[in-house]
Amino acid sequence: MSQIASRHLSFADYVAARRGDVDRALERWLPAPPACPPALAEAMRYAVGNGGKRFRPLLALAAADAVASASGGGETARADALRRALPIACAVELVHTQSLVHDDLPAMDDDVLRRGQPTVHVRYGEGLAILVGDGLLAQAFGLLARYPADEGDAPLLARKLRVIAALGDAVGASGMVGGQAIDLTTTGSCRPDGAGAALDLDALSDMHARKTGGLIRAAAVGGALMAGGNDEQVEALSAFAVRVGLAFQIVDDVLDVEGCAATLGKTAGKDAGAGKVTFPGLVGRDTARLMATDAVAEAEATLARAGLSSPYLTGLARGVVSRRD
Ligand code: GRG
């Protein structure tokens, strides 16, 4: 890791240091020529690019750090926890990027702008964009199987397998893919008559828990597991992340109404244009923002009860509500 994982780093310095760790590791773990065809390697790097907030990897690392700190580990234990959590931190970012690339395709949300740049299919064509997503997804699971190298460490291997299973659940048909399938039913694009299904608040929350929340949860749980967290700690970080994930999606919906493309780095007003059911659409913008603030307060209380309070997890959770993109 780039710097000692010091408790004394400010939140901004911590985020900068951990982002650096993640960006360097992503570059190292993305496939490169000659093993990978140059055009595909270039397009995968374009997708992963620099513009993302790296929220999920930061969450995974901060969760690992919080577990190591709560277990009374010193600087070495915290640095070890961060090193062990780096593969899952990168794997969630690869899966997240895959979901963005496929979500932007004409068959899904049909968007031309992402992270302030042309979407992958606009830049490289639809066929390669599909392959970029497929490649990122496979790379995520491949790197998790390889790193951290277990070298005969049976407990570490067992934890890694739990992390791989958690990520598989978060991504698969009962997770992100399932959430996206529900989303398609709301726009009617998967029915011959084009009729969109209506969602109430519970159904909307369930869809987003699958589509957005699952990966955020897998990041926090994965980080906690790789740091050797016990069941209570893992459960607390899971509950924390579920609430943060809900807040994340509520704010995403609000920003789609309030934001502009220059700030968001993606097309604004997409949800209304596509006739999507959203949190501000169901309860109004003010109530939606209150729901997000409440969810983050509950998330923080969950951590405090488990003795896992951390300025970095708090900073990330509150940043979800105050973010502008
Ligand atoms: C996972 C196999 C597989 C398929 C994916 C397309 C799809 C199925 C799911 C769509 C999931 C999706 C795009 C959910 C929206 C999540 C969301 C709010 C993204 C924005 O995340 P940010 O703000 O983006 O963290 P940056 O650019 O900062 O990384």
Side-chain angles (χ1 to χ4, degrees):
M1 309 297 287
S2 61
Q3 296 182 21
I4 305 261
S6 169
R7 236 333 146 199
H8 307 300
L9 282 185
S10 70
F11 177 66
D13 287 346
Y14 188 82
V15 165
R18 299 290 80 83
R19 266 192 77 117
D21 295 333
V22 168
D23 286 345
R24 279 186 296 278
L26 282 170
E27 174 53 37
R28 196 164 65 243
W29 286 329
L30 276 169
C36 169
L40 183 58
E42 180 192 317
M44 287 171 83
R45 277 171 177 73
Y46 178 84
V48 173
N50 277 332
K53 294 183 286 298
R54 307 289 192 237
F55 171 71
R56 296 153 190 81
L58 290 170
L59 184 61
L61 295 178
D65 202 347
V67 167
S69 299
S71 311
E75 298 293 304
T76 310
R78 291 178 59 211
D80 272 353
L82 289 173
R83 187 179 45 76
R84 289 195 179 127
L86 194 56
I88 178 62
C90 290
V92 290
E93 186 67 6
L94 295 181
V95 172
H96 166 60
T97 307
Q98 179 270 336
S99 76
L100 299 180
V101 173
H102 281 189
D103 196 48
D104 289 335
L105 286 168
M108 299 277 185
D109 267 7
D110 191 11
D111 216 327
V112 294
L113 195 63
R114 172 69 66 182
R115 294 172 171 171
Q117 301 181 66
T119 45
V120 177
H121 68 273
V122 168
R123 178 85 166 69
Y124 292 98
E126 260 183 74
L128 201 61
I130 292 170
L131 296 177
V132 163
D134 295 342
L136 290 173
L137 192 57
Q139 196 71 13
F141 285 94
L143 94 82
L144 273 184
R146 285 193 184 86
Y147 307 109
D150 41 85
E151 286 158 9
D153 182 342
L156 179 64
L157 179 58
R159 285 202 295 275
K160 248 170 57 166
L161 287 175
R162 282 179 70 186
V163 171
I164 291 170
L167 187 64
D169 290 345
V171 171
S174 50
M176 188 188 278
V177 170
Q180 182 75 351
I182 296 171
D183 199 352
L184 290 180
T185 67
T186 69
T187 61
S189 65
C190 56
R191 279 179 53 136
D193 63 1
L199 296 181
D200 63 13
L201 196 55
D202 283 345
L204 182 69
S205 303
D206 173 67
M207 179 184 86
H208 286 306
R210 296 165 188 271
K211 198 178 139 176
T212 307
L215 197 55
I216 290 176
R217 178 176 169 271
V221 165
L225 281 170
M226 292 317 295
N230 62 34
D231 288 350
E232 190 198 343
Q233 290 171 325
V234 172
E235 186 42 50
L237 278 155
S238 167
F240 166 82
V242 166
R243 290 174 175 87
V244 170
L246 174 66
F248 193 98
Q249 186 59 52
I250 294 172
V251 172
D252 214 68
D253 281 4
V254 172
L255 290 177
D256 187 70
V257 183
E258 289 178 351
C260 63
T263 318
L264 292 177
K266 61 184 179 184
T267 313
K270 283 285 290 186
D271 295 338
K276 290 208 175 178
V277 185
T278 66
F279 288 103
L282 282 183
V283 300
R285 250 190 274 176
D286 291 345
T287 305
R289 278 218 172 265
L290 271 179
M291 284 170 66
T293 310
D294 284 353
V296 165
E298 281 173 29
E300 288 182 40
T302 305
L303 282 191
R305 280 194 296 276
L308 285 169
S309 292
S310 130
Y312 306 128
L313 288 171
T314 298
L316 288 171
R318 293 187 186 176
V320 158
V321 177
S322 59
R323 73 195 175 100
R324 290 284 166 259
D325 69 344

